[in-house]
Amino acid sequence: MTAKRTYFALLGLIILLIVGVAGSAYEVDKLLHAKALQLANAKLKYQTLSDEQKGLLKDKQDIATYGDLNNITKQIVPQDKDQAEVIREIINIAASSSVTPGDHGVKIESISFPESTLGTATKTLPASSGAAAAAPSSTTPSAAATSKASLSQLVPVPNIKGVYKLEITIANDNQSEITYPMLYKFLSNLENNRRTAQVSSINITPDTNGRTYLTFSITLDTYIKP
């Protein structure tokens, strides 16, 4: 073999080695890039799981911290519109609104609720009876019917999701007039009871024979979160 042939053989071998090394380097770089991507994804997944674990831990702490507050909220804002219970509360508040010894409190003549949207109008309930609504039918109602019944007569409160208000009209006995201090105490007790009631309007009629005494009609809103 001549020197020239040897030279070209060695040159070809060197070129092949360079191509092999370059190909190997490319494959190694490709493998390293894939492993780096897997590592980045694993780190991201770990960080996500870590954040979720921290979030769950915080949620558990919040539940423990605010559990009592949630129970208090349920007591402040009732979950039903039990009209018989509403009547009893109003009657008890009225009876406790005396301001001087010997007073019998405020005597209520009527407590009225809005007309039902279920097709049966709700009549004025005599306050003296304190009776509950008519007994339910023996037929078991469907869930949809029960839900519709629970929202009947209720009006959604703007900007407070899931909270409704029930309008109630209260009139005192015009045969048993009261004084302004008794009315003031009655209104104050109404607005501080557990049903978070708010007086939206009031109509006062003074006694023509002496303006110390009066009769009234009140429109009251109570708040419910079914």
Side-chain angles (χ1 to χ4, degrees):
M1 180 180 291
T2 63
K4 188 175 182 179
R5 288 182 177 179
T6 302
Y7 170 77
F8 283 113
L10 291 174
L11 182 61
L13 181 60
I14 291 172
I15 292 173
L16 289 175
L17 288 173
I18 292 173
V19 171
V21 170
S24 298
Y26 173 76
E27 292 297 328
V28 170
D29 180 71
K30 186 177 178 181
L31 179 62
L32 290 175
H33 181 73
K35 292 298 183 181
L37 184 60
Q38 290 178 1
L39 180 61
N41 289 335
K43 286 183 176 180
L44 180 60
K45 185 176 181 180
Y46 172 79
Q47 185 63 41
T48 301
L49 291 174
S50 178
D51 291 342
E52 289 180 353
Q53 185 178 19
K54 291 179 181 178
L56 289 174
L57 181 60
K58 186 178 183 302
D59 289 342
K60 289 181 179 179
Q61 292 174 344
D62 289 343
I63 290 173
T65 302
Y66 300 110
D68 292 340
L69 179 60
N70 182 55
N71 293 332
I72 292 172
T73 302
K74 289 182 178 180
Q75 293 176 359
I76 294 175
V77 184
Q79 297 175 283
D80 61 78
K81 57 170 184 177
D82 187 343
Q83 294 180 357
E85 179 62 24
V86 171
I87 292 172
R88 281 192 292 269
E89 288 182 0
I90 293 174
I91 295 301
N92 291 335
I93 291 172
S96 64
S97 297
S98 57
V99 294
T100 59
D103 283 343
H104 297 291
V106 178
K107 292 185 178 181
I108 303 300
E109 180 181 35
S110 64
I111 300 174
S112 303
F113 298 90
E115 185 173 311
S116 173
T117 58
L118 297 177
T120 303
T122 302
K123 303 299 183 181
T124 298
L125 299 178
S128 58
S129 66
S137 169
S138 58
T139 303
T140 302
S142 65
T146 302
S147 176
K148 185 176 180 182
S150 67
L151 297 180
S152 174
Q153 302 171 292
L154 302 181
V155 178
V157 175
N159 303 321
I160 307 180
K161 184 178 180 181
V163 178
Y164 297 80
K165 66 178 180 179
L166 174 65
E167 186 179 275
I168 304 171
T169 302
I170 307 169
N172 75 315
D173 185 356
N174 56 16
Q175 300 299 319
S176 180
E177 297 174 325
I178 63 171
T179 61
Y180 283 94
M182 291 174 67
L183 175 61
Y184 177 82
K185 186 172 182 181
F186 178 56
L187 294 176
S188 177
N189 291 341
L190 279 176
E191 292 193 330
N192 286 282
N193 77 335
R194 68 175 292 271
R195 288 191 175 266
T196 319
Q198 180 179 13
V199 176
S200 58
S201 67
I202 180 170
N203 182 29
I204 298 174
T205 306
D207 189 336
T208 56
N209 296 323
R211 294 186 175 273
T212 303
Y213 295 93
L214 59 93
T215 58
F216 67 82
S217 175
I218 296 173
T219 299
L220 186 72
D221 292 331
T222 62
Y223 297 94
I224 299 168
K225 192 176 187 305

